[in-house]
Amino acid sequence: MLWAGRMRLDTFGILLMLVHASAACEFGPFPYSITGIVCRMTKPGALLLNQETAQVIQAAFRNAKFPNITGERSMRLLGKVAYGLTNIQVNDLSIEQSEVELKENDAIHIAIKNVTAFFKGTLTYGYAGAWFFQLFHSVDFEIESSIDLQINVKLMCQRDQVAADASDCYLTFHKLTLHLQGDKEPGWLKQLFTDFISFTLKLVLKSEVRSATACGQRKGWFLCFLLAANFLEDEGIRVDISPASIPLIKANYLESHHKGLVRYKNYSDVLSDSVFSPSLLTESRMLYFWLSEHVLNSLASATFFDKRLVLTIKGEKLQALFEMEDTEVQRKVVQMIFQGTSYNDSVAKVWSLAHPQISVQPKGTVVKSLVAVEISIFPLGEEPLMVLYMEKEIMVTIQADYAEKKLVLHPLDSRIEFKVFKCAADPSGNDPSIRNFLQTMISVVGIPEVISRIESALTSLMNSKGLHLFEIRNPEIITRKGYVIVQLDFSFPNHLLLDFLEKRL
């Protein structure tokens, strides 16, 4: 059951990373003040993961490469008997019961009970008798096992990372029996192998299970979805999720606190005034994420520095913006701005002049940004001509939902203030019809168009990290002054989970 133990730890990778011991970590007198991201998993979430583990363990067994087992033993009057077990594989596996218990300020207790597995392979043995009589033989074998496994996971912080100590591990063998060539009642020679090979196999399993934590941390596939560094990293932008304070292990939940500092090339930020407190989160849902307003602002700054806040619109998209309504005023303004040039020969460029400022309020997330818009036309046989340039300060309140595996952003009230306005059709700027039309167009069509592009980009990014593999139920994105709470229940279809896992084993 070595591999069952290993995969049990893999599946509980999220639990292992949610908490860590304080012995190897040093924090200041006010550790919550530097907390940018918090993850809380309640006991129902942990129990769900535990219940789903059987399929994961079976997938691990199908892909596992078991080590060969060799040994030698001297027998009185008979000489030496050497043996080797090769081509070991699992034929069948069943798990009757599994449990997880959270011990407050202690450890995560994982119990796997009545695990039955049938190993198959080849046994090669050689016997040298006292009177130079030799016997060498190779037979197929089957090992029938029934084991209970108890792991008491202690967690610690090493080099700003979480390490799990599973040396407090107990294996109880209810059955570990060797059958040769399918014979359920072996003769004296077969009984001899049954006794000392079973003994050797027990020692190997116990030794390997104690080192299974390292394997679990290396794979860590589950953590990659929830809070791993690569989930919060995209090209040159990454988020530092090293521990910010001592975690909480309660009877009903696990909670970890992370710095959440954004790193991008020479840009880095600091946080010293976080408003986080454990009382801000409840215990009614399976999983919670708490994000500081500071984290969102820093991500917006890094995205701006990486020149990602640039949008080019042309063709049908550009036409849809300027022909939102079929009125005489609209037709006149379009004719003036584009000077009769086709939309296919025109390009609009939208970009941020400064990094957006984000303020989280109970009504939603308020985004304030200074944006430039430039429209150029490409008349046939002539040089390109910029026909419109404007700079405007836009403030918009956004509420977010997650539905049908897509991020949905709802723009609410918005305010637009022109800072610079230059139009080739109105050099003096005295014609209010152009500016009024553009004001309406930006509010009614422009802002929703930009937000829809952001929705699509963020959804694609999250799905590239594996979010679409999970069934997220009744997610809620709650905004309060200075922070955001994401709370949800979850499950995952087995076939998607197994497909994802088998590609990584």
Side-chain angles (χ1 to χ4, degrees), residues 329-340 387 423-426 431 433-434:
V329 173
Q330 174 263 322
R331 288 190 291 271
K332 178 183 177 182
V333 169
V334 169
Q335 179 66 29
M336 293 174 62
I337 293 176
F338 290 92
Q339 302 179 14
V387 295
C423 182
D426 181 25
D431 188 345
S433 63
I434 296 178

Side-chain angles (χ1 to χ4, degrees), residues 336-339 341 345-349 351 372-379 382-391 420-427:
M336 293 174 62
I337 293 176
F338 290 92
Q339 302 179 14
T341 304
D345 297 322
S346 306
V347 174
K349 180 182 176 183
W351 72 97
V373 177
E374 179 183 282
I375 297 179
S376 299
I377 61 175
F378 300 83
E382 300 181 24
E383 292 294 321
L385 175 65
M386 185 180 71
V387 295
L388 177 67
Y389 177 83
M390 54 185 174
E391 296 177 6
V420 176
F421 186 86
K422 299 177 182 179
C423 182
D426 181 25

Side-chain angles (χ1 to χ4, degrees), residues 31-56:
Y32 285 164
S33 65
I34 61 171
T35 296
I37 300 175
V38 178
C39 181
R40 172 180 289 188
M41 176 175 282
T42 60
K43 192 167 184 178
L47 292 175
L48 176 65
L49 291 180
N50 195 57
Q51 294 167 4
E52 297 290 341
T53 304
Q55 292 287 339
V56 179

